Amino acid sequence: MRSWTLLGLFVLLVSQEAVAFKAHDFKTCSQSGFCRRGRALAAPLFHLFEPSTFSADVTSSLYPDIKFGLELRVHDDGVVRVRMDEVGGLRKRYDETASWALIEEPSVSHDIKWTAGKKDIRATYGEKKDVEVVVSFEPLRVSLLKSGKEQVVLNGQGLLHMEHFRNKTIEETKTERHNLLKVVIKKENPRAWFEGEEEDAYWDESFSSWTDTKPKGPESLSLDITFPNHGTIFGIPQHATRLALPTTAGEEPTFTDPYRLYNADVFEYLASSPVSLYGSIPILHAHSTDTTVGIFDAVASETWIDVTHFNPASTETHWVSESGILDVFLMPGPTPEDVFKQYARLTGTPVMPTDWSLGYHQCRWNYVSTDDVRTVQKRFDEEDMPVDVFWLDIEYAEDHKYFIWNEKTFPDPVEMTNDVAALGRKMVVIIDPHLKRTQDYPVYKEATERDLLVKNKQNNEYEGWCWSGSSAWIDFFNPASWDWWKILFKTYSVESGWSWVKSTDAIHIWNDMNEPSVFNGPEITMPKDNIHHGGWEHRDIHNLNGMLYTNQTYKAVAARSEPVTRPFVLTRSFFAGSQRFGAMWTGDNLGTWEHMAVGIKMVLANSIAGMSFSGSDVGGFFGNPEPEMLVRWYQVGAFAPFFRAHAHIDTKRREPFLLDEPYKSIVRDILRLRYSQLPIWYTAFREASVTGLPVLRPQYVMLPKDKNGFEIDDQYYIGSSGLLVKPVTNKSTTEATVYLGEDQVYYDYFTHHAYRGAAKGKEITVQAELHQVPLFIRGGSILPTRERPRRASTAMKLDPFTLRVALSKAGDARGELYLDDGTSYDHQKGDFVWREFVAEKPSKKSKGLRITSKDLGKAKPSEAVDSVSLTAYNPSNAFAKSVEEVRVEKVIVVGLAAKPSNVKVEGSGKELVWEFTPGVAASDKKDGTPSLLHIKDPKVAIAKNWAIIIE
């Protein structure tokens, strides 16, 4: 790639090697023709404008005869969409990425008025008229400003270049003969200063033993995106690296290769690398103490991204994609919350999951038989360890023909599933995208007969190799595949085709290998010159492929039952918009401390990019972690949205009940802690599913003005709950350092010890022995938990609640609780309970406290649930009635200034049973053990309005 300051090319290499990671399987930038090629300046010829849309004709300074069309639209919420495409070209560029990623075509503002000048055209908008978008003419430059300061600049470095379609030319030569020697004189290329003397991988490209034919020729797109006033950026998952993205160019970069977005099956990936992994979301957040802005680049082809800083207060990025149009969304913020909401309005919010999917998942490659599954379930129950889901990897399937049970080892799959379901649990079974190419496999046979398979460059059925041996792949870009895929998941016989009758509604689905992984393909994936529906090459849609597979699986699982119930689908590969259809995990990690640590950073990066329902394999997929590491990994997993233990087929069995003491008891306590906090997780997911705010929130999201917290990625908050956790990811740790970024009191979750933060930030040191998790409650929070140990989440639905009221410095607190049936879509009809708990002084001069429960569903029906905007809410809905006997069995108030004289439920007149332990108050300035007020069984219903008066 070209350096930031020079036009010359420089070589970029992978910076690290590992014994297991095979760097030679994957390209570096220097091995990718389009990444090597340069960029050129662009300048607009003329402009046309309407009240809401600006458009212009653009020409390249390298090829003045080639025309491009530029269009800017300002959406109703202030997002600016910038599109550019070749006009009248020899071929059509792929322009459908946004149609897959977006939930709908965004609504364009009709209040925008463009003002034209001699050098630019601009529009000012926003409630305060402080947001401005400016298009400069020569050279072309698009900038978004707030209060006069540039937030985002496109082509500020002059690196915009869209390679035009062309015909392959035969080299023009002159031939002279001297003494029987042939001399070839080449025609000079006037653009050689930029393009080089030779056509660099224009029409074909070799890597290892593969050759990528490029029948369309070069079509790459280069664009620089600069954040002149933002020195920290986050996003572009998935990479194993820090949350605040390290540099790849400039002086002393952390990595010497750009970040790559090209979904790939990377075996035992490095714990610090810009190498592409299983999913790609081309979104960036740029952050400063003043504002947060974002960009979303709707392109699905292979993309490389360089990151550098000309100075500490700015960030420069350079994006090079192999194909597609320029389609960039500028999200003006100006806060992290605003950017999340703007992105959610584009690509959708995270799915509202089934409640049981937030419990613990037990998996390995492989549970070998139906009896093995039954035995594992029995052992969990014998050891009083909660679990909700058991998983089956590929060995359940006969010859890896997915859907088809191996009758020798799984002779009674329906009965096995029913045995699991009888105890309130579920099964998840893997369905990979590769189909074994044999006529005795009904899924492959029907896909062939319906002409639904991906084609090779000769337009014949593509054959590759994966777990099934000789395999074919369904083309989910073909709409004809969608209804057929739904038929396969029916649990009863249908006339229109084969269906999975040896299944039940208690079986949910795991989609692995959907990058797609092809063992004998280039870079362990599908050749780029394969052909999909509509004639598009695989190079155009590669990063979308895994998302479409999972999306259609999600819809198929939902459609198998009547009434429709919420599916659970796990995917390894993903793209922008995948959050609408399920969970993801970080792939084939290693059982090392380094992978444990980077897994947290990766989950945080996925979360801010929309994929809140994410997690890493507990214990690491590869290796045999020692007991200490396994315990710490369970602590990490218990504070991830998706909590699953998984292991490779060659690892030792490591179910938690196999651990020796004291490790077994520690893990049991961790599992029980997770289950007690399930109401907190489910409430956080409600907020995410409505607003787009992530379930896991890094420091910069919670405290955006605190510069000291921008690069912190080893501690985080859970939703709006006030829980702050810092999992331990180092061996032999007995203490941990936790950063408190505000002048607020924080309480240890287990001991309630009070720690004081500071306005400029403050580090505290806390105990972190093996059985201890550094977990804190932010002052001003109210946490609803269920404290009775159960075998599965389904057994907790009628359990009472404990409310923990952690008073702030000001002596108040707030929290929420959301409940519904956890499985159906009845919540979208208004069947739910959404409560707000508030603790505050009855009056300014009062020394007492009033704790209330109010109905948020009634107060804010339009903001209550995902996908619909309710106009009204009935507090006596069917679900509310089903939990009307569920009560609050305990209230704990932390940080009262003095012992109460009376505690009662308002209106009852009867004093409650309570116990007070003196200690420091929330308003004090010193650390220490706080006062605790335990209120025993106030007999107030969780779904009703009430008030507890503390005098």
Side-chain angles (χ1 to χ4, degrees):
M1 285 178 101
R2 192 173 72 171
S3 74
W4 293 110
T5 56
L6 301 175
L7 288 175
L9 300 178
F10 64 93
V11 177
L12 301 167
L13 302 173
V14 172
S15 60
Q16 300 182 52
E17 288 286 341
V19 174
F21 173 67
K22 299 178 181 178
H24 61 268
D25 282 343
F26 305 98
K27 291 181 181 179
T28 62
C29 182
S30 63
Q31 296 169 310
S32 174
F34 79 89
C35 191
R36 289 193 302 266
R37 297 195 293 269
R39 308 88 159 175
L41 303 178
L45 289 181
F46 60 87
H47 62 267
L48 303 171
F49 59 93
E50 303 170 4
S52 59
T53 302
F54 165 72
S55 60
D57 289 345
V58 178
T59 186
S60 165
S61 60
L62 290 180
Y63 293 92
D65 295 333
I66 304 301
K67 301 295 185 284
F68 301 92
L70 175 72
E71 181 183 76
L72 271 76
R73 300 177 181 178
V74 180
H75 299 169
D76 282 339
D77 63 354
V79 171
V80 179
R81 186 176 188 177
V82 183
R83 286 169 54 95
M84 191 172 82
D85 195 0
E86 186 173 350
V87 176
L90 293 176
R91 303 172 187 88
K92 180 177 172 58
R93 301 178 75 95
Y94 186 73
D95 61 357
E96 298 177 6
T97 299
S99 67
W100 297 110
L102 304 187
I103 52 176
E104 60 185 1
E105 188 64 24
S107 176
V108 177
S109 172
H110 296 289
D111 298 328
I112 301 299
K113 293 183 179 180
W114 294 91
T115 303
K118 292 183 179 180
K119 296 183 178 180
D120 59 38
I121 185 169
R122 59 186 62 209
T124 301
Y125 60 95
E127 290 183 6
K128 299 180 180 179
K129 299 298 180 183
D130 59 349
V131 181
E132 187 175 32
V133 58
V134 180
V135 183
S136 303
F137 295 155
E138 192 169 352
L140 175 64
R141 187 178 189 271
V142 179
S143 54
L144 183 69
L145 298 87
K146 181 173 175 59
S147 301
K149 293 180 66 173
E150 286 187 326
Q151 306 292 298
V152 188
V153 178
L154 306 186
N155 200 37
Q157 306 300 315
L159 303 180
L160 172 63
H161 181 52
M162 181 177 280
E163 292 182 321
H164 66 282
F165 287 121
R166 66 199 75 188
N167 290 317
K168 189 174 184 179
T169 57
I170 300 175
E171 190 176 72
E172 296 183 24
T173 64
K174 292 181 180 180
T175 306
E176 299 179 8
R177 291 183 178 276
H178 300 284
N179 299 325
L180 300 180
L181 294 177
K182 182 178 180 180
V183 179
V184 178
I185 304 174
K186 295 183 179 179
K187 183 178 179 180
E188 290 187 5
N189 178 7
R191 294 171 292 273
W193 65 273
F194 178 80
E195 297 178 330
E197 294 292 344
E198 304 292 336
E199 293 186 347
D200 183 8
Y202 278 20
W203 302 97
D204 60 69
E205 183 173 343
S206 295
F207 176 70
S208 188
S209 61
W210 296 277
T211 297
D212 172 20
T213 64
K214 298 184 177 182
K216 295 186 293 182
E219 52 175 318
S220 72
L221 170 65
S222 162
L223 175 67
D224 62 272
I225 304 176
T226 302
F227 306 95
N229 294 290
H230 298 81
T232 309
I233 61 171
F234 312 93
I236 55 171
Q238 188 180 38
H239 298 97
T241 187
R242 302 195 303 268
L243 177 64
L245 292 169
T247 57
T248 64
E251 295 184 6
E252 299 181 355
T254 301
F255 300 122
T256 55
D257 226 34
Y259 295 102
R260 191 185 189 198
L261 295 178
Y262 189 66
N263 296 352
D265 180 0
V266 183
F267 181 81
E268 296 189 357
Y269 56 85
L270 299 174
S272 178
S273 170
V275 170
S276 57
L277 294 177
Y278 310 96
S280 299
I281 304 181
I283 182 176
L284 274 182
H285 288 206
H287 185 67
S288 71
T289 54
D290 294 329
T291 60
T292 307
V293 294
I295 67 100
F296 168 49
D297 182 20
V299 65
S301 63
E302 178 187 354
T303 299
W304 299 79
I305 305 157
D306 257 324
V307 174
T308 193
H309 301 287
F310 287 163
N311 63 69
S314 71
T315 304
E316 295 72 39
T317 68
H318 182 204
W319 303 60
V320 184
S321 301
E322 184 169 17
S323 67
I325 66 169
L326 188 155
D327 196 359
V328 177
F329 298 81
L330 312 181
M331 295 172 283
T335 68
E337 180 176 345
D338 291 325
V339 173
F340 291 129
K341 290 180 177 180
Q342 289 156 3
Y343 180 67
R345 282 190 286 269
L346 292 172
T347 67
T349 59
V351 64
M352 186 62 192
T354 59
D355 55 359
W356 54 262
S357 66
L358 300 181
Y360 174 64
H361 299 245
Q362 182 62 50
C363 182
R364 74 171 282 112
W365 178 25
N366 205 89
Y367 290 117
V368 298
S369 67
T370 54
D371 288 341
D372 194 6
V373 172
R374 291 183 175 103
T375 299
V376 171
Q377 173 165 254
K378 181 181 178 182
R379 289 297 310 278
F380 268 93
D381 290 337
E382 289 174 346
E383 298 291 346
D384 291 326
M385 290 182 169
V387 60
D388 264 76
V389 194
F390 298 108
W391 291 55
L392 291 177
D393 211 320
I394 59 176
E395 306 306 332
Y396 82 90
E398 178 186 85
D399 297 329
H400 301 147
K401 293 182 288 189
Y402 305 107
F403 298 99
I404 309 299
W405 297 92
N406 184 329
E407 294 186 359
K408 293 181 180 179
T409 51
F410 291 88
D412 54 347
V414 171
E415 292 78 5
M416 171 198 68
T417 304
N418 289 341
D419 288 345
V420 170
L423 296 179
R425 297 183 176 121
K426 308 290 183 183
M427 297 288 301
V428 170
V429 174
I430 198 167
I431 302 289
D432 280 351
H434 46 274
L435 305 182
K436 189 174 183 66
R437 299 175 72 248
T438 175
Q439 289 300 311
D440 66 354
Y441 181 24
V443 180
Y444 170 74
K445 185 173 183 294
E446 288 188 9
T448 304
E449 294 169 348
R450 295 169 184 254
D451 193 23
L452 299 177
L453 300 174
V454 176
K455 305 294 194 296
N456 60 22
K457 61 186 178 183
Q458 289 85 24
N459 211 34
N460 298 317
E461 179 184 309
Y462 170 67
E463 178 189 8
W465 284 77
C466 205
W467 297 119
S468 302
S470 175
S471 302
W473 279 259
I474 301 166
D475 184 3
F476 283 100
F477 291 88
N478 185 347
S481 68
W482 302 346
D483 286 339
W484 170 73
W485 192 243
K486 290 178 181 177
I487 293 171
L488 297 181
F489 285 86
K490 299 294 185 184
T491 58
Y492 50 86
S493 297
V494 294
E495 293 182 0
S496 52
W498 186 89
S499 61
W500 199 13
V501 295
K502 292 186 177 181
S503 180
T504 81
D505 288 352
I507 290 180
H508 293 256
I509 303 302
W510 173 16
N511 286 162
D512 196 359
M513 314 295 285
N514 51 329
E515 293 77 26
S517 177
V518 183
F519 291 162
N520 65 333
E523 300 192 88
I524 318 179
T525 193
M526 196 170 280
K528 290 182 176 180
D529 48 11
N530 274 7
I531 304 299
H532 289 265
H533 178 76
W536 297 112
E537 287 187 293
H538 186 73
R539 82 179 73 251
D540 300 316
I541 55 82
H542 175 82
N543 287 342
L544 284 169
N545 186 84
M547 179 176 82
L548 263 66
Y549 179 54
T550 300
N551 293 4
Q552 294 308 318
T553 300
Y554 185 91
K555 293 176 181 178
V557 176
R560 71 185 174 184
S561 57
E562 184 61 42
V564 173
T565 57
R566 284 179 247 174
F568 172 82
V569 177
L570 180 75
T571 183
R572 188 169 73 175
S573 184
F574 54 89
F575 188 71
S578 288
Q579 68 270 15
R580 305 191 300 265
F581 300 97
M584 58 74 58
W585 91 108
T586 61
D588 297 344
N589 56 352
L590 279 68
T592 66
W593 293 100
E594 293 78 12
H595 271 256
M596 185 194 306
V598 81
I600 294 173
K601 307 174 197 303
M602 293 168 71
V603 170
L604 289 175
N606 289 327
S607 296
I608 66 168
M611 291 296 297
S612 267
F613 202 0
S614 56
S616 296
D617 282 342
V618 169
F621 181 60
F622 297 102
N624 295 297
E626 60 184 340
E628 179 193 354
M629 182 190 295
L630 194 57
V631 167
R632 290 300 194 192
W633 217 312
Y634 269 95
Q635 292 171 352
V636 170
F639 291 96
F642 176 57
F643 182 18
R644 181 185 75 158
H646 186 35
H648 189 272
I649 196 169
D650 292 332
T651 64
K652 298 176 181 178
R653 295 289 283 256
R654 49 168 131 111
E655 289 78 8
F657 51 72
L658 295 176
L659 287 166
D660 293 330
E661 294 293 357
Y663 309 107
K664 180 164 62 175
S665 291
I666 296 174
V667 172
R668 181 188 295 111
D669 289 343
I670 295 167
L671 293 172
R672 289 180 173 179
L673 175 64
R674 169 67 172 219
Y675 276 75
S676 72
Q677 295 178 344
L678 286 179
I680 297 171
W681 288 98
Y682 200 62
T683 301
F685 264 98
R686 184 218 64 85
E687 184 179 14
S689 72
V690 174
T691 67
L693 271 68
V695 171
L696 298 192
R697 300 181 186 173
Q699 201 78 16
Y700 88 92
V701 174
M702 294 297 293
L703 301 169
K705 301 294 185 182
D706 177 26
K707 190 173 182 178
N708 295 329
F710 289 1
E711 299 202 10
I712 292 177
D713 54 13
D714 57 357
Q715 65 180 55
Y716 51 89
Y717 294 81
I718 298 173
S720 298
S721 69
L723 279 180
L724 170 66
V725 64
K726 182 173 182 177
V728 174
T729 58
N730 293 301
K731 183 178 175 62
S732 302
T733 297
T734 59
E735 291 183 338
T737 300
V738 180
Y739 178 74
L740 305 181
E742 60 182 332
D743 184 12
Q744 184 57 270
V745 59
Y746 280 73
Y747 304 97
D748 183 285
Y749 184 87
F750 305 99
T751 68
H752 298 113
H753 189 94
Y755 297 91
R756 312 289 167 172
K760 295 184 178 180
K762 177 182 177 182
E763 289 185 342
I764 61 172
T765 300
V766 298
Q767 289 296 304
E769 299 283 353
L770 186 57
H771 66 283
Q772 295 172 312
V773 183
L775 178 64
F776 303 88
I777 311 172
R778 187 187 193 188
S781 306
I782 300 179
L783 299 178
T785 59
R786 280 174 155 155
E787 301 293 338
R788 299 187 181 185
R790 301 291 189 184
R791 65 173 174 244
S793 66
T794 51
M796 303 172 69
K797 288 183 178 292
L798 298 179
D799 279 356
F801 284 86
T802 292
L803 296 183
R804 195 173 319 204
V805 181
L807 295 178
S808 70
K809 279 179 55 181
D812 55 17
R814 183 191 178 279
E816 292 183 15
L817 173 66
Y818 175 82
L819 301 169
D820 59 30
D821 65 20
T823 56
S824 77
Y825 289 95
D826 288 347
H827 64 295
Q828 295 177 355
K829 303 174 185 177
D831 286 352
F832 61 85
V833 168
W834 183 24
R835 308 299 301 182
E836 178 185 39
F837 307 111
V838 176
E840 58 189 352
K841 296 179 180 180
S843 64
K844 288 184 178 180
K845 296 183 179 180
S846 173
K847 295 183 180 180
L849 194 70
R850 187 170 187 262
I851 305 172
T852 59
S853 173
K854 300 177 182 178
D855 195 335
L856 276 177
K858 188 174 182 179
K860 301 178 180 180
S862 64
E863 303 174 27
V865 296
D866 58 304
S867 302
V868 296
S869 180
L870 299 174
T871 57
Y873 171 75
N874 178 11
S876 298
N877 63 76
F879 175 75
K881 287 183 177 180
S882 73
V883 296
E884 61 185 359
E885 299 298 323
V886 176
R887 73 189 196 282
V888 176
E889 68 173 349
K890 183 189 297 184
V891 178
I892 304 171
V893 183
V894 187
L896 280 173
K899 182 178 180 179
S901 60
N902 189 288
V903 180
K904 62 184 178 182
V905 175
E906 189 174 69
S908 72
K910 183 179 179 181
E911 186 168 4
L912 298 173
V913 178
W914 55 274
E915 180 180 337
F916 181 78
T917 304
V920 300
S923 58
D924 288 348
K925 294 183 179 181
K926 61 182 179 180
D927 294 356
T929 302
S931 68
L932 294 176
L933 173 65
H934 289 260
I935 305 172
K936 301 178 182 179
D937 199 6
K939 293 184 171 61
V940 291
I942 198 67
K944 298 294 184 180
N945 293 343
W946 46 260
I948 295 176
I949 307 300
I950 302 172
E951 297 176 336

